[in-house]
Amino acid sequence: MSAVVDTHAHGHGDDHGAHHGPYGGLMRWITTTNHKDIGTMYLWFSFTMFMVGGVMAMVIRAELFSPGLQVVDPDFFNQMTTMHGLIMVFGAIMPVFVGFANWLIPMQIGAPDMAFARMNNWSFWILPFAGILLILSFFMPGGAPGVGWTLYAPLTVQMGIGMDLTIFAIHLLGMSSIMGSINIITTILNMRAPGMTLMRMPLFCWTWLITAYLLVATMPVLAGAVTMTLTDRHFGTSFFNAAGGGDPVLYQHIFWFFGHPEVYIIALPGFGVVSQVIPAFSRKPLFGYASMVYATSAIAILSFLVWAHHMYTVGMPVTGQLFFMYATTLIAVPTGVKVFNWVATMWKGSLTFETPMLFAIGFLFLFTLGGFTGLVLSLVPIDIQLHDTYYVVAHFHYVMVAGALFAAFAGIYFWLPKWTGRMYDEKLGQIHFWLTMIFFNITFFVQHFSGLAGMPRRIPDYPLMFETWNKVSSIGAFGFGLSQLLFLYVVLKCIRSGEKAPDKPWEGADSLEWTHLPTPVPYHTFDPQPDLR
Amino acid sequence: MMLKKLLFGALGLALCGVALAAEWNLQPAASKIAADIHWVHEMVMVLVLVLFVGVFGFMFYSCYAHRKSVGHKADQFHENTTVEVLWSVIPAIILVLIAWPVTKVVIAQKDTSHPDLTIKATGIQWKWAYDYLNGEGEGISFLSTMTTPRAQIEGREAKGENYLLEVDNEVVVPVGKKVRVLTTAADVIHSWWIPAFGAKQDAIPGFIRDIWFRAETPGVYRGQCTELCGKDHGFMPIVVRVVSQEAYTKWVGEKRALLAKAADDETKTFTLAELKSRGEKVYAANCVACHQASGKGLPPTFPALDGSKVVTGAQAAQIDVVLNGVTKNGAPTAMVAFGKQLSNVEIAAVITFTRNNWGNSTGEAVQPADIKARRK
């Protein structure tokens, strides 16, 4: 291994401090081992997938605008909901935070690059192929799988060859995530600058360290679940088929043993971003740093003990329901600690409200709302009533969109000056925030009502009593989708013609990338490492 | 013109108002469990609202009062052990306090013992089969399929009041009696749900689960399948009609008589025309969702029958497919075994229909006796 590292250091020796990579053009991106290049590619990949998944959401909302079937047939509708979920979770939200990790972790801990630079290249370049496989499934006979992103057995057995492509895509995505996680864990544990103790690291690094462990622990479980689906489909096994001695519910147990930690895999890096942004714009240190670290760890550990709260209606014994209910409500405690800490960080600060802070506050407000509906759903009797209704759809979009996506927007606006060397248009950024905030709530808040009133999820058509809220929701969704084009414009405008950014554009920012590095950051940084003792 | 627009606008708003009033909360409870769910939900919502207002009261006050633009200087405190312990312990205590009453509801909801009536609900792509297993009405069995016409779904006709929530055979139960519903499925996972009863239970192929309800007021209660089960997941409603004890006894008598009458004479030899017209009805109720009215199917998952080698080939092969379904690697496919769902007469009729409709013209009449002979 050391030989590889040596060659790498030697080969790039001449370029230290230069602003460009060893190759020009496309080859730079294909062959790069630079954490900043790879981070950039992750970010653009996830934005592309965000757009693809977004178009699918628009199709779904167009069909649901009115009762009756107007736009698509029920089969295609199911394919849309399935692929929207898979693409947003695995193609958009997970990679965007890996992009952040690549860009920021080495800079925040004072390391020159990621620990395994070539594996880093590979873990990115697997992703486009996985994305292509997912999208190719639409062009197979029978189309993409229409089984929901959870891929429940035995419906998966009825699907066409698109299902197999999806399974292989998930294998690839899993490999990519595991490699990325090994890289992050190794980098954080071994490559911190002298004096950068674990408990001095910015919270973003902490949340990613914990997330990476969650990924290494759970992605193989998902791979196992989909592989069993594959062998049930083609090789005569009966893991999930009662006629052969299997059990369809076994699939759900395995899937959610991955699926619940996955919720935190998506949420924790967002917590980390927000924990950098809020102190910076409050001009005040993060309140309760140590308790933040412990709360994050507690959430991660508890996330392995609550999976069956997604399955209260499968008919588990009463003791099972009670255990999972108690364990789930327990997560409210460390999550509450985090929310209280963020509010306490703002308390008696000196607040300004630039776009990153607006998105961070939006995150705090709406994520907490999603957390509260999570508490409501954790209670077995209410969950049995609301399971698989639009209430659940509203709940997890508050967590995924207002949680993870808002945090990602906050982070992008926050670090864009450091990454590009230019400032974004503050006014347009704020307009983007308000449009996103308003349309998000129009889209999803009303879905709580549809769900309470009894509208099941994943249906292409609905009884007349649900019409009002579906109309409102669809209008909100179209607005939300269009608003994201403004985001693309703001980013492109920043890259092309933004004003030059100072080394430290945010007064309260205090991690190494702001205090120790110029803007824009050079291609190679922290070689040699800074001494922080 | 202007006035007309305004009037319509006002009418629209008024209608919206009515809609708002009807659909922003849980459906009215028709059982004790549903009432308990309402109560738990309201209790938690109050708690959540108080916490929400409290936490964000602090946050928004801070946003207002501690702005840099009004010259607020930042304090530099970043720890306070007392506060941190308090805001960990107090939520934990609140959770324990909630857990107690909720646990009682969970235990009550799970107690399916000593039912007055037991009904098995079998989810089938995409309809429900009901068998009255125990109690008054024992032995009654029927299929329950959505009756909303395609024309309403495709917008060629005005949508009726119970659009997507109407079935040919409703589940009828007596008021005030404890009804235990056993759920299972023939193909993939479905989920049986009546919101007004607070009763939802997944129906899992190969396994039997149960749930119970005791309806407190007569009426018609409607729900939908709540587990994604493929193409027509949105089109397999559940309708329960709760009636008085006398009306229930009467219904049981009528249903029994009807079932006896409907038991066709399997030994009879029918004419081609008789079989075709009966078969068309069977096809519309059981086959059309996948194989389509045109007989063209939705390939490759749902193959065409028009011009199909199976349908125009040997009778025995087609009878086997309809009776036993199609399996792939030992696992059932969307083509389920209709042998358990349909009578010999119905299967004979529908096979005759498919062999003599669209472009198919075998001219053969398949008789119930042929079906009976191939049953294993």
Side-chain angles (χ1 to χ4, degrees), chain A residues 69 158 233 288 314 316 326 348-351 385 387-388 453 461 465 469 507, chain B residues 23 27 66 68 72 75-76 78 103 110 125 153 163 195 200-202 209 226 329:
Chain A
L69 295 175
Q158 293 182 354
R233 280 169 55 76
V314 298
M316 70 179 84
Y326 299 150
K348 297 206 167 164
S350 177
L351 303 174
Q385 184 71 336
H387 176 78
D388 262 336
D461 191 6
M465 61 181 161
W469 294 132
E507 190 186 340
Chain B
E23 60 176 73
Q27 293 182 14
H66 306 146
K68 193 185 179 198
H72 194 271
D75 278 11
Q76 292 301 309
H78 55 83
T103 300
K110 266 284 173 187
Q125 283 172 321
I153 294 171
Y163 178 68
K200 181 188 287 161
Q201 174 61 54
D202 288 0
R209 308 286 202 221
T226 46
N329 301 321

mmCIF file of all heavy atoms in Angstrom, chain A residues 69 158 233 288 314 316 326 348-351 385 387-388 453 461 465 469 507, chain B residues 23 27 66 68 72 75-76 78 103 110 125 153 163 195 200-202 209 226 329:
data_model
loop_
_atom_site.group_PDB
_atom_site.id
_atom_site.type_symbol
_atom_site.label_atom_id
_atom_site.label_comp_id
_atom_site.label_asym_id
_atom_site.label_seq_id
_atom_site.Cartn_x
_atom_site.Cartn_y
_atom_site.Cartn_z
ATOM 1 N N LEU A 69 -57.814 8.411 -14.201
ATOM 2 C CA LEU A 69 -56.498 8.204 -14.817
ATOM 3 C C LEU A 69 -56.378 9.126 -16.022
ATOM 4 O O LEU A 69 -57.170 9.020 -16.953
ATOM 5 C CB LEU A 69 -56.347 6.745 -15.260
ATOM 6 C CG LEU A 69 -56.343 5.700 -14.145
ATOM 7 C CD1 LEU A 69 -56.303 4.303 -14.728
ATOM 8 C CD2 LEU A 69 -55.169 5.911 -13.204
ATOM 9 N N GLN A 158 -42.894 -10.986 -9.550
ATOM 10 C CA GLN A 158 -43.736 -10.813 -10.740
ATOM 11 C C GLN A 158 -43.148 -9.851 -11.757
ATOM 12 O O GLN A 158 -43.697 -9.703 -12.850
ATOM 13 C CB GLN A 158 -45.116 -10.291 -10.320
ATOM 14 C CG GLN A 158 -45.919 -11.280 -9.507
ATOM 15 C CD GLN A 158 -47.300 -10.743 -9.165
ATOM 16 O OE1 GLN A 158 -47.614 -9.596 -9.450
ATOM 17 N NE2 GLN A 158 -48.114 -11.582 -8.550
ATOM 18 N N ARG A 233 -36.154 -15.115 -7.656
ATOM 19 C CA ARG A 233 -36.711 -14.859 -8.982
ATOM 20 C C ARG A 233 -36.234 -15.881 -10.013
ATOM 21 O O ARG A 233 -36.992 -16.303 -10.869
ATOM 22 C CB ARG A 233 -36.303 -13.451 -9.461
ATOM 23 C CG ARG A 233 -37.136 -12.331 -8.869
ATOM 24 C CD ARG A 233 -36.515 -10.971 -9.160
ATOM 25 N NE ARG A 233 -36.269 -10.735 -10.588
ATOM 26 C CZ ARG A 233 -37.209 -10.429 -11.467
ATOM 27 N NH1 ARG A 233 -38.448 -10.319 -11.076
ATOM 28 N NH2 ARG A 233 -36.904 -10.223 -12.742
ATOM 29 N N GLY A 288 -22.952 22.778 23.423
ATOM 30 C CA GLY A 288 -22.957 21.363 23.779
ATOM 31 C C GLY A 288 -22.293 20.467 22.756
ATOM 32 O O GLY A 288 -22.852 19.448 22.353
ATOM 33 N N VAL A 314 -47.721 -5.906 10.036
ATOM 34 C CA VAL A 314 -47.539 -7.250 9.470
ATOM 35 C C VAL A 314 -48.121 -8.321 10.383
ATOM 36 O O VAL A 314 -48.235 -9.470 9.989
ATOM 37 C CB VAL A 314 -46.057 -7.611 9.184
ATOM 38 C CG1 VAL A 314 -45.458 -6.670 8.167
ATOM 39 C CG2 VAL A 314 -45.246 -7.678 10.449
ATOM 40 N N MET A 316 -47.159 -8.696 14.012
ATOM 41 C CA MET A 316 -46.171 -9.232 14.963
ATOM 42 C C MET A 316 -46.821 -9.346 16.341
ATOM 43 O O MET A 316 -47.861 -8.739 16.589
ATOM 44 C CB MET A 316 -44.942 -8.342 14.988
ATOM 45 C CG MET A 316 -45.139 -6.990 15.611
ATOM 46 S SD MET A 316 -43.617 -6.037 15.617
ATOM 47 C CE MET A 316 -43.622 -5.323 14.004
ATOM 48 N N TYR A 326 -41.350 1.285 22.244
ATOM 49 C CA TYR A 326 -40.554 1.940 23.294
ATOM 50 C C TYR A 326 -39.188 2.360 22.750
ATOM 51 O O TYR A 326 -38.716 3.474 22.985
ATOM 52 C CB TYR A 326 -40.369 1.009 24.504
ATOM 53 C CG TYR A 326 -41.651 0.585 25.189
ATOM 54 C CD1 TYR A 326 -41.746 -0.642 25.835
ATOM 55 C CD2 TYR A 326 -42.765 1.420 25.188
ATOM 56 C CE1 TYR A 326 -42.914 -1.040 26.458
ATOM 57 C CE2 TYR A 326 -43.945 1.027 25.808
ATOM 58 C CZ TYR A 326 -44.017 -0.202 26.437
ATOM 59 O OH TYR A 326 -45.178 -0.586 27.044
ATOM 60 N N LYS A 348 -28.828 34.250 22.183
ATOM 61 C CA LYS A 348 -27.869 35.282 22.561
ATOM 62 C C LYS A 348 -26.648 35.303 21.649
ATOM 63 O O LYS A 348 -25.549 35.658 22.079
ATOM 64 C CB LYS A 348 -27.430 35.126 24.019
ATOM 65 C CG LYS A 348 -28.597 35.294 24.976
ATOM 66 C CD LYS A 348 -28.167 35.770 26.333
ATOM 67 C CE LYS A 348 -29.387 36.212 27.130
ATOM 68 N NZ LYS A 348 -29.121 36.334 28.550
ATOM 69 N N GLY A 349 -26.842 34.881 20.394
ATOM 70 C CA GLY A 349 -25.771 35.056 19.426
ATOM 71 C C GLY A 349 -25.885 36.433 18.791
ATOM 72 O O GLY A 349 -26.553 37.325 19.319
ATOM 73 N N SER A 350 -25.214 36.576 17.647
ATOM 74 C CA SER A 350 -25.323 37.825 16.906
ATOM 75 C C SER A 350 -25.687 37.402 15.489
ATOM 76 O O SER A 350 -24.831 37.148 14.658
ATOM 77 C CB SER A 350 -23.987 38.558 16.967
ATOM 78 O OG SER A 350 -24.038 39.728 16.208
ATOM 79 N N LEU A 351 -27.009 37.287 15.259
ATOM 80 C CA LEU A 351 -27.484 36.530 14.108
ATOM 81 C C LEU A 351 -27.569 37.364 12.829
ATOM 82 O O LEU A 351 -28.014 38.505 12.856
ATOM 83 C CB LEU A 351 -28.880 35.963 14.389
ATOM 84 C CG LEU A 351 -29.025 35.064 15.617
ATOM 85 C CD1 LEU A 351 -30.487 34.719 15.838
ATOM 86 C CD2 LEU A 351 -28.223 33.802 15.448
ATOM 87 N N GLN A 385 -53.273 2.932 12.164
ATOM 88 C CA GLN A 385 -54.238 3.711 11.388
ATOM 89 C C GLN A 385 -53.556 4.421 10.210
ATOM 90 O O GLN A 385 -54.130 4.500 9.125
ATOM 91 C CB GLN A 385 -54.909 4.749 12.314
ATOM 92 C CG GLN A 385 -56.010 5.555 11.655
ATOM 93 C CD GLN A 385 -57.251 4.713 11.396
ATOM 94 O OE1 GLN A 385 -57.199 3.495 11.285
ATOM 95 N NE2 GLN A 385 -58.392 5.351 11.280
ATOM 96 N N HIS A 387 -50.371 3.816 8.824
ATOM 97 C CA HIS A 387 -49.385 3.080 8.041
ATOM 98 C C HIS A 387 -49.787 3.033 6.571
ATOM 99 O O HIS A 387 -50.947 2.768 6.248
ATOM 100 C CB HIS A 387 -49.266 1.656 8.592
ATOM 101 C CG HIS A 387 -48.344 0.780 7.813
ATOM 102 N ND1 HIS A 387 -46.980 0.852 7.933
ATOM 103 C CD2 HIS A 387 -48.580 -0.160 6.876
ATOM 104 C CE1 HIS A 387 -46.427 -0.024 7.106
ATOM 105 N NE2 HIS A 387 -47.373 -0.650 6.446
ATOM 106 N N ASP A 388 -48.815 3.281 5.683
ATOM 107 C CA ASP A 388 -49.072 3.240 4.237
ATOM 108 C C ASP A 388 -50.144 4.220 3.785
ATOM 109 O O ASP A 388 -50.849 3.985 2.821
ATOM 110 C CB ASP A 388 -49.422 1.817 3.768
ATOM 111 C CG ASP A 388 -48.185 1.125 3.185
ATOM 112 O OD1 ASP A 388 -47.273 1.839 2.739
ATOM 113 O OD2 ASP A 388 -48.146 -0.123 3.171
ATOM 114 N N ALA A 453 -57.185 11.455 6.749
ATOM 115 C CA ALA A 453 -58.528 11.161 6.232
ATOM 116 C C ALA A 453 -58.592 9.784 5.598
ATOM 117 O O ALA A 453 -59.673 9.304 5.287
ATOM 118 C CB ALA A 453 -58.948 12.230 5.235
ATOM 119 N N ASP A 461 -54.915 6.688 -8.467
ATOM 120 C CA ASP A 461 -56.238 7.292 -8.555
ATOM 121 C C ASP A 461 -56.822 7.220 -7.155
ATOM 122 O O ASP A 461 -56.449 6.354 -6.375
ATOM 123 C CB ASP A 461 -57.079 6.477 -9.550
ATOM 124 C CG ASP A 461 -58.377 7.185 -9.899
ATOM 125 O OD1 ASP A 461 -58.564 8.337 -9.474
ATOM 126 O OD2 ASP A 461 -59.211 6.568 -10.591
ATOM 127 N N MET A 465 -63.151 12.323 -2.155
ATOM 128 C CA MET A 465 -62.982 13.166 -0.958
ATOM 129 C C MET A 465 -61.540 13.663 -0.790
ATOM 130 O O MET A 465 -61.281 14.566 -0.014
ATOM 131 C CB MET A 465 -63.409 12.392 0.280
ATOM 132 C CG MET A 465 -62.604 11.143 0.527
ATOM 133 S SD MET A 465 -63.215 10.286 1.981
ATOM 134 C CE MET A 465 -62.555 8.661 1.749
ATOM 135 N N TRP A 469 -56.970 18.314 -1.442
ATOM 136 C CA TRP A 469 -55.585 18.343 -0.981
ATOM 137 C C TRP A 469 -54.622 17.862 -2.052
ATOM 138 O O TRP A 469 -53.477 18.311 -2.120
ATOM 139 C CB TRP A 469 -55.406 17.526 0.291
ATOM 140 C CG TRP A 469 -56.137 18.092 1.459
ATOM 141 C CD1 TRP A 469 -56.939 17.420 2.336
ATOM 142 C CD2 TRP A 469 -56.170 19.463 1.901
ATOM 143 N NE1 TRP A 469 -57.461 18.271 3.273
ATOM 144 C CE2 TRP A 469 -57.002 19.523 3.035
ATOM 145 C CE3 TRP A 469 -55.586 20.643 1.441
ATOM 146 C CZ2 TRP A 469 -57.259 20.717 3.720
ATOM 147 C CZ3 TRP A 469 -55.834 21.830 2.122
ATOM 148 C CH2 TRP A 469 -56.658 21.849 3.243
ATOM 149 N N GLU A 507 -18.149 35.670 8.768
ATOM 150 C CA GLU A 507 -17.455 36.184 9.943
ATOM 151 C C GLU A 507 -17.269 35.110 11.022
ATOM 152 O O GLU A 507 -16.205 34.986 11.613
ATOM 153 C CB GLU A 507 -18.275 37.351 10.507
ATOM 154 C CG GLU A 507 -17.577 38.148 11.580
ATOM 155 C CD GLU A 507 -18.532 39.189 12.189
ATOM 156 O OE1 GLU A 507 -19.550 39.539 11.553
ATOM 157 O OE2 GLU A 507 -18.248 39.614 13.319
ATOM 158 N N GLU B 23 -62.238 16.598 5.437
ATOM 159 C CA GLU B 23 -61.140 15.669 5.177
ATOM 160 C C GLU B 23 -59.808 16.043 5.826
ATOM 161 O O GLU B 23 -58.774 15.608 5.374
ATOM 162 C CB GLU B 23 -60.944 15.547 3.673
ATOM 163 C CG GLU B 23 -60.603 16.868 3.041
ATOM 164 C CD GLU B 23 -60.306 16.711 1.568
ATOM 165 O OE1 GLU B 23 -61.227 16.499 0.777
ATOM 166 O OE2 GLU B 23 -59.116 16.812 1.219
ATOM 167 N N GLN B 27 -61.126 9.885 10.060
ATOM 168 C CA GLN B 27 -62.552 9.657 9.835
ATOM 169 C C GLN B 27 -63.238 9.404 11.172
ATOM 170 O O GLN B 27 -62.628 8.881 12.098
ATOM 171 C CB GLN B 27 -62.744 8.446 8.919
ATOM 172 C CG GLN B 27 -62.231 8.685 7.517
ATOM 173 C CD GLN B 27 -62.462 7.488 6.605
ATOM 174 O OE1 GLN B 27 -63.214 6.579 6.930
ATOM 175 N NE2 GLN B 27 -61.805 7.502 5.459
ATOM 176 N N HIS B 66 -31.887 38.750 18.889
ATOM 177 C CA HIS B 66 -30.435 38.605 18.918
ATOM 178 C C HIS B 66 -29.823 38.792 17.537
ATOM 179 O O HIS B 66 -28.878 38.121 17.171
ATOM 180 C CB HIS B 66 -30.060 37.236 19.508
ATOM 181 C CG HIS B 66 -30.672 36.992 20.856
ATOM 182 N ND1 HIS B 66 -31.078 35.746 21.285
ATOM 183 C CD2 HIS B 66 -30.961 37.851 21.864
ATOM 184 C CE1 HIS B 66 -31.593 35.846 22.505
ATOM 185 N NE2 HIS B 66 -31.531 37.112 22.882
ATOM 186 N N LYS B 68 -27.763 40.609 14.580
ATOM 187 C CA LYS B 68 -26.601 41.485 14.492
ATOM 188 C C LYS B 68 -27.047 42.881 14.070
ATOM 189 O O LYS B 68 -26.498 43.885 14.503
ATOM 190 C CB LYS B 68 -25.617 40.913 13.475
ATOM 191 C CG LYS B 68 -24.253 41.577 13.556
ATOM 192 C CD LYS B 68 -23.337 41.085 12.459
ATOM 193 C CE LYS B 68 -21.996 41.802 12.560
ATOM 194 N NZ LYS B 68 -21.230 41.716 11.321
ATOM 195 N N HIS B 72 -26.851 43.266 18.422
ATOM 196 C CA HIS B 72 -26.659 42.329 19.518
ATOM 197 C C HIS B 72 -25.273 41.708 19.451
ATOM 198 O O HIS B 72 -24.842 41.224 18.417
ATOM 199 C CB HIS B 72 -27.730 41.232 19.473
ATOM 200 C CG HIS B 72 -27.796 40.444 20.744
ATOM 201 N ND1 HIS B 72 -27.035 39.328 20.943
ATOM 202 C CD2 HIS B 72 -28.493 40.648 21.893
ATOM 203 C CE1 HIS B 72 -27.281 38.857 22.163
ATOM 204 N NE2 HIS B 72 -28.158 39.650 22.755
ATOM 205 N N ASP B 75 -22.854 36.335 22.964
ATOM 206 C CA ASP B 75 -22.239 35.719 24.145
ATOM 207 C C ASP B 75 -21.381 34.559 23.655
ATOM 208 O O ASP B 75 -21.567 34.069 22.549
ATOM 209 C CB ASP B 75 -23.338 35.153 25.067
ATOM 210 C CG ASP B 75 -23.929 36.250 25.934
ATOM 211 O OD1 ASP B 75 -23.626 37.420 25.648
ATOM 212 O OD2 ASP B 75 -24.687 35.912 26.865
ATOM 213 N N GLN B 76 -20.468 34.086 24.485
ATOM 214 C CA GLN B 76 -19.643 32.969 24.015
ATOM 215 C C GLN B 76 -19.857 31.690 24.818
ATOM 216 O O GLN B 76 -19.055 30.769 24.775
ATOM 217 C CB GLN B 76 -18.151 33.371 24.002
ATOM 218 C CG GLN B 76 -17.817 34.425 22.945
ATOM 219 C CD GLN B 76 -18.160 33.983 21.514
ATOM 220 O OE1 GLN B 76 -17.776 32.911 21.080
ATOM 221 N NE2 GLN B 76 -18.907 34.810 20.785
ATOM 222 N N HIS B 78 -21.014 28.012 25.791
ATOM 223 C CA HIS B 78 -21.282 26.865 24.922
ATOM 224 C C HIS B 78 -21.527 25.584 25.701
ATOM 225 O O HIS B 78 -21.473 24.495 25.151
ATOM 226 C CB HIS B 78 -20.142 26.676 23.921
ATOM 227 C CG HIS B 78 -18.797 26.542 24.565
ATOM 228 N ND1 HIS B 78 -18.346 25.361 25.062
ATOM 229 C CD2 HIS B 78 -17.844 27.470 24.818
ATOM 230 C CE1 HIS B 78 -17.139 25.548 25.583
ATOM 231 N NE2 HIS B 78 -16.818 26.806 25.449
ATOM 232 N N THR B 103 -49.848 1.847 25.694
ATOM 233 C CA THR B 103 -49.654 0.402 25.837
ATOM 234 C C THR B 103 -50.988 -0.307 26.048
ATOM 235 O O THR B 103 -51.240 -1.367 25.488
ATOM 236 C CB THR B 103 -48.697 0.121 27.010
ATOM 237 O OG1 THR B 103 -47.459 0.761 26.732
ATOM 238 C CG2 THR B 103 -48.480 -1.373 27.189
ATOM 239 N N LYS B 110 -54.803 -5.823 20.121
ATOM 240 C CA LYS B 110 -54.261 -7.131 19.737
ATOM 241 C C LYS B 110 -55.117 -8.283 20.244
ATOM 242 O O LYS B 110 -54.886 -9.439 19.905
ATOM 243 C CB LYS B 110 -52.845 -7.269 20.320
ATOM 244 C CG LYS B 110 -51.771 -6.861 19.340
ATOM 245 C CD LYS B 110 -51.591 -7.955 18.309
ATOM 246 C CE LYS B 110 -50.651 -7.525 17.208
ATOM 247 N NZ LYS B 110 -50.609 -8.533 16.141
ATOM 248 N N GLN B 125 -54.975 -10.475 -6.347
ATOM 249 C CA GLN B 125 -54.790 -9.383 -7.310
ATOM 250 C C GLN B 125 -56.001 -9.308 -8.233
ATOM 251 O O GLN B 125 -56.171 -10.196 -9.067
ATOM 252 C CB GLN B 125 -53.520 -9.618 -8.128
ATOM 253 C CG GLN B 125 -52.253 -9.260 -7.332
ATOM 254 C CD GLN B 125 -51.004 -9.678 -8.055
ATOM 255 O OE1 GLN B 125 -50.946 -10.734 -8.679
ATOM 256 N NE2 GLN B 125 -49.960 -8.864 -7.969
ATOM 257 N N ILE B 153 -63.379 5.832 -14.446
ATOM 258 C CA ILE B 153 -61.956 5.983 -14.150
ATOM 259 C C ILE B 153 -61.264 6.728 -15.286
ATOM 260 O O ILE B 153 -60.422 7.589 -15.049
ATOM 261 C CB ILE B 153 -61.310 4.592 -13.942
ATOM 262 C CG1 ILE B 153 -61.892 3.942 -12.685
ATOM 263 C CG2 ILE B 153 -59.792 4.704 -13.844
ATOM 264 C CD1 ILE B 153 -61.503 2.504 -12.488
ATOM 265 N N TYR B 163 -67.018 6.680 -5.764
ATOM 266 C CA TYR B 163 -65.990 6.378 -6.766
ATOM 267 C C TYR B 163 -64.815 5.620 -6.132
ATOM 268 O O TYR B 163 -64.239 6.082 -5.146
ATOM 269 C CB TYR B 163 -65.519 7.698 -7.360
ATOM 270 C CG TYR B 163 -64.425 7.585 -8.383
ATOM 271 C CD1 TYR B 163 -64.662 7.004 -9.621
ATOM 272 C CD2 TYR B 163 -63.146 8.078 -8.115
ATOM 273 C CE1 TYR B 163 -63.665 6.904 -10.568
ATOM 274 C CE2 TYR B 163 -62.138 7.989 -9.051
ATOM 275 C CZ TYR B 163 -62.395 7.401 -10.278
ATOM 276 O OH TYR B 163 -61.402 7.304 -11.213
ATOM 277 N N PRO B 195 -60.788 2.379 7.851
ATOM 278 C CA PRO B 195 -60.322 3.464 8.717
ATOM 279 C C PRO B 195 -61.241 3.728 9.907
ATOM 280 O O PRO B 195 -60.760 3.948 11.016
ATOM 281 C CB PRO B 195 -60.293 4.678 7.778
ATOM 282 C CG PRO B 195 -60.190 4.119 6.401
ATOM 283 C CD PRO B 195 -60.872 2.787 6.432
ATOM 284 N N LYS B 200 -56.475 -2.377 10.696
ATOM 285 C CA LYS B 200 -55.674 -2.589 9.495
ATOM 286 C C LYS B 200 -54.756 -3.774 9.730
ATOM 287 O O LYS B 200 -54.111 -3.863 10.775
ATOM 288 C CB LYS B 200 -54.834 -1.345 9.188
ATOM 289 C CG LYS B 200 -53.983 -1.491 7.919
ATOM 290 C CD LYS B 200 -53.021 -0.333 7.765
ATOM 291 C CE LYS B 200 -53.753 0.925 7.363
ATOM 292 N NZ LYS B 200 -52.954 2.132 7.650
ATOM 293 N N GLN B 201 -54.729 -4.700 8.787
ATOM 294 C CA GLN B 201 -53.862 -5.855 8.938
ATOM 295 C C GLN B 201 -53.371 -6.309 7.574
ATOM 296 O O GLN B 201 -54.167 -6.504 6.665
ATOM 297 C CB GLN B 201 -54.622 -6.987 9.642
ATOM 298 C CG GLN B 201 -53.848 -8.289 9.730
ATOM 299 C CD GLN B 201 -52.558 -8.134 10.517
ATOM 300 O OE1 GLN B 201 -52.544 -7.666 11.640
ATOM 301 N NE2 GLN B 201 -51.438 -8.482 9.894
ATOM 302 N N ASP B 202 -52.050 -6.470 7.443
ATOM 303 C CA ASP B 202 -51.508 -6.984 6.189
ATOM 304 C C ASP B 202 -52.019 -8.396 5.947
ATOM 305 O O ASP B 202 -52.185 -9.178 6.882
ATOM 306 C CB ASP B 202 -49.973 -7.013 6.243
ATOM 307 C CG ASP B 202 -49.373 -5.621 6.182
ATOM 308 O OD1 ASP B 202 -50.156 -4.653 6.092
ATOM 309 O OD2 ASP B 202 -48.142 -5.502 6.230
ATOM 310 N N ARG B 209 -52.996 -13.963 9.523
ATOM 311 C CA ARG B 209 -52.899 -12.999 10.618
ATOM 312 C C ARG B 209 -54.322 -12.633 11.016
ATOM 313 O O ARG B 209 -55.260 -12.959 10.299
ATOM 314 C CB ARG B 209 -52.171 -11.739 10.143
ATOM 315 C CG ARG B 209 -50.852 -12.008 9.481
ATOM 316 C CD ARG B 209 -49.814 -12.401 10.491
ATOM 317 N NE ARG B 209 -48.479 -12.155 9.965
ATOM 318 C CZ ARG B 209 -47.460 -12.970 10.130
ATOM 319 N NH1 ARG B 209 -47.608 -14.093 10.810
ATOM 320 N NH2 ARG B 209 -46.277 -12.674 9.646
ATOM 321 N N THR B 226 -54.105 -1.311 1.475
ATOM 322 C CA THR B 226 -53.053 -0.356 1.808
ATOM 323 C C THR B 226 -51.660 -0.949 1.710
ATOM 324 O O THR B 226 -50.736 -0.453 2.340
ATOM 325 C CB THR B 226 -53.226 0.205 3.234
ATOM 326 O OG1 THR B 226 -53.499 -0.879 4.096
ATOM 327 C CG2 THR B 226 -54.312 1.221 3.285
ATOM 328 N N ASN B 329 -40.359 -20.752 -11.593
ATOM 329 C CA ASN B 329 -39.398 -21.225 -10.591
ATOM 330 C C ASN B 329 -40.075 -21.550 -9.276
ATOM 331 O O ASN B 329 -39.567 -21.244 -8.198
ATOM 332 C CB ASN B 329 -38.302 -20.181 -10.341
ATOM 333 C CG ASN B 329 -37.542 -19.865 -11.602
ATOM 334 O OD1 ASN B 329 -37.263 -20.754 -12.395
ATOM 335 N ND2 ASN B 329 -37.242 -18.597 -11.805
#
